[in-house]
Structure formats: C-alpha cells, structure tokens
Amino acid sequence: MAVMETTSRARATGLSLTSWVLFASSGPLAKAVMAAGCPAAAVTSVRIALAAILLAPVVAVLRPQALRFRRADLWPLLGYGLVGVAGVQLFFFLAVARVPVGVAMVLVNLAPALVALWVRVVRRTRLPGLVWLGIGLAVAGLALVAQVWQGARLDLAGVAAGLAAAVCSAGYFLLGEHGASRHDSSGLTAAGLVIGAVVMAAVSPPWTLPSGLLHAPAVLGGLRAPVWLALLTLAVACTVLPYLAGLRALRELPSALASVLALVEPLVAAVLAWLLLGQALGGAQLAGAVILLAGATLVQLASKAVSTSSPS
C-alpha cells in the first residue's frame, strides 16, 4: 500500500510539474503575439476561446458522461471557470501591463501562502512548521529569480491586479482540488474553459481581433511564425494540456502542496527566456532558483511525512 501511495504521489507530482512547465512556456509565446500588435486582453480571450472550442467537442463525443454535472455543482463550476480560468490570466496580464514582469510574478505566486492560510484558518487543518518554512524559502527564491529590486516606482493599480491574480490562482487550486475529487478532469477542464471563454468574450470579444493581424509575424528569438499559429499553440500546448494535467494531479496532491509546485513556473520561464531570447540568468537568479527548489522540496517532504503518518 505504501509503495502504491508513493508511486501515485510521484506520478501526480510529475503531472503537476508538467502542467507548470507548459504554463510557463506560454509567457514567451504570448509576449511575441502581443509584440505583433495584439492587446493582452485579446490574447487571453482568443487563447481561452480556442482551447474551449478544441476541447469541449472532443470531450462531448468521447466522454459525454464527464460533462454531466448536478445542480449542486453549478456554483463551484462557475467559480472555477470565472476565477481559476479567466480571472488568473486576465489579472496577470493587467498586472504585467503596469508593473515589471518580475514583480507581477512575485505577486501572483503569493498564492501558495494564501492557500496555506485558507487550509489553516477555514479548514482548521494544522500544517507543519516545515511547510511554512518551505513556502517562505520558495517565495524568497522567487523574488531573487524575478529580481524585484530592479523595478522602479510601482503602479498601485498594477499591484492590485497582481494581488487579484494571486487570489484567483489560490482559487484555482482550492476549487480545482474540490472539483477534481468529484469529477472527471477532462469534463471539468472543458466546462471551466467554456465558462472562462464566455467571461472573456464579455471583456474582449475574440471575434473583434483584426483578421489581418492573424497573418502578421510573431517573432520568438530566431523563430518567426504567423500569429494564428502562435495563438493555436497557446490554446493547445499552453492551455488545454496544462489544465488537464494540473487537474489530474489535484486528485492525488493536496492543494497546499500543488500550489507550491507552481512556483517552478517562473523558474522555467526564466530558463526559457535564457534559451529562446538569450536573457542569461545572473548569479542572484541562480541562487534564487536553488532556494526556490529547496523550499518546494521541503514542502513536498513535509507534506509526504504528514500523509504517511496519518491513520488510514
């Protein structure tokens, strides 16, 4: 039994890390699309709409039972689509438009601390001190990777948007954990994307994107691709697949642990920027990466110790 639990935890951890690696790869792609002239809100809207259009029909045909929800599931499902899909992406892009990207990343990745506080205060679940220490180390390492001290004067609206993104990100983990324990991850992902697409269509209708812009070149390092191909890649590889993998992982991982694993996203984004854009990591960033990974590992080990010591 212990071996099976360890294998299951390892598989879920791998799925969660894969999810955040894919999410991180969306940054350079989205930046290339925005540089081609597409507004941030429009990128978000088209990305979610395409993902919903591609996934929902497939799930409806191959796994129709996955889309059967009870009336009691309505509000959690709406909350997941509104907060965990549309809210995270929209508020993060609004923050990036007003504050340095590094600062925005630090703000949105305060989510693990918010999740831990929710678990402690609302669920009245006592977390080991090592979990809090790991979260603190991970956030400190993240600040070093992002080099937040290089930001000049901070825009209050941008900071507010970043904090709102952190709240929405915490909602993604908590609502996703709730939904993943009760529903098929493919159905939950499809429904969440459809709801998120409807919300974003009200904010920035995807059909208002100029058709001529779709054929403009999106430049990523030495690569050039039409905007439509970059948007399609964003929808499939950077939206559908990571949401599926992340929700599947939440069936085995507690939300407090899964949220800390998400801190590898900015680390992966920094590595991708180094590989694709030639933005080398400095000494402080490398040190921050080590501290971040040490903190995430500490939370992983502490959470595993709690789960193995609890009565079955």
Side-chain angles (χ1 to χ4, degrees):
M1 180 65 69
V3 174
M4 292 180 61
E5 290 181 356
T6 300
T7 303
S8 178
R9 172 64 69 91
R11 181 174 60 249
T13 300
L15 283 171
S16 182
L17 291 174
T18 299
S19 172
W20 293 111
V21 167
L22 292 173
F23 273 133
S25 65
S26 68
L29 270 176
K31 184 175 181 180
V33 172
M34 286 187 283
C38 188
V43 174
T44 306
S45 184
V46 173
R47 171 187 182 181
I48 297 177
L50 278 176
I53 291 171
L54 292 171
L55 181 63
V58 174
V59 176
V61 172
L62 299 181
R63 302 180 66 87
Q65 69 278 6
L67 294 174
R68 294 171 185 165
F69 300 98
R70 298 172 299 176
R71 182 175 298 179
D73 299 324
L74 178 61
W75 288 112
L77 194 60
L78 288 173
Y80 176 74
L82 176 62
V83 174
V85 177
V88 174
Q89 299 182 50
L90 178 60
F91 282 119
F92 178 71
F93 279 124
L94 290 176
V96 167
R98 291 179 171 270
V99 300
V101 175
V103 175
M105 280 189 169
V106 170
L107 291 172
V108 73
N109 281 285
L110 291 174
L114 297 179
V115 171
L117 286 173
W118 178 276
V119 170
R120 179 67 184 92
V121 176
V122 178
R123 294 183 182 174
R124 299 182 183 276
T125 300
R126 185 173 182 178
L127 297 174
L130 289 178
V131 170
W132 296 101
L133 176 60
I135 291 174
L137 286 174
V139 173
L142 176 61
L144 287 173
V145 172
Q147 294 186 324
V148 294
W149 58 87
Q150 290 188 357
R153 296 165 53 190
L154 294 182
D155 183 281
L156 292 180
V159 172
L163 292 174
V167 172
C168 290
S169 182
Y172 161 77
F173 292 109
L174 294 169
L175 291 169
E177 179 189 39
H178 173 84
S181 65
R182 292 165 174 78
H183 306 292
D184 187 290
S185 57
S186 61
L188 186 60
T189 301
L193 287 172
V194 169
I195 294 170
V198 172
V199 171
M200 285 307 305
V203 176
S204 177
W207 53 85
T208 60
L209 192 68
S211 58
L213 183 60
L214 296 177
H215 298 283
V219 181
L220 182 62
L223 302 176
R224 296 171 65 90
V227 165
W228 68 264
L229 181 58
L231 288 171
L232 184 62
T233 304
L234 274 172
V236 177
C238 306
T239 307
V240 172
L241 294 181
Y243 270 111
L244 285 173
L247 282 177
R248 182 63 183 83
L250 282 170
R251 297 181 65 179
E252 306 291 342
L253 295 177
S255 56
L257 171 57
S259 64
V260 173
L261 292 176
L263 289 172
V264 305
E265 180 188 11
L267 176 59
V268 173
V271 172
L272 289 176
W274 171 46
L275 294 175
L276 298 176
L277 304 178
Q279 299 175 353
L281 297 175
Q285 290 176 301
L286 291 174
V290 173
I291 295 173
L292 188 155
L293 292 176
T297 301
L298 189 60
V299 173
Q300 169 88 343
L301 295 175
S303 300
K304 183 178 178 180
V306 171
S307 63
T308 55
S309 62
S310 60
S312 56

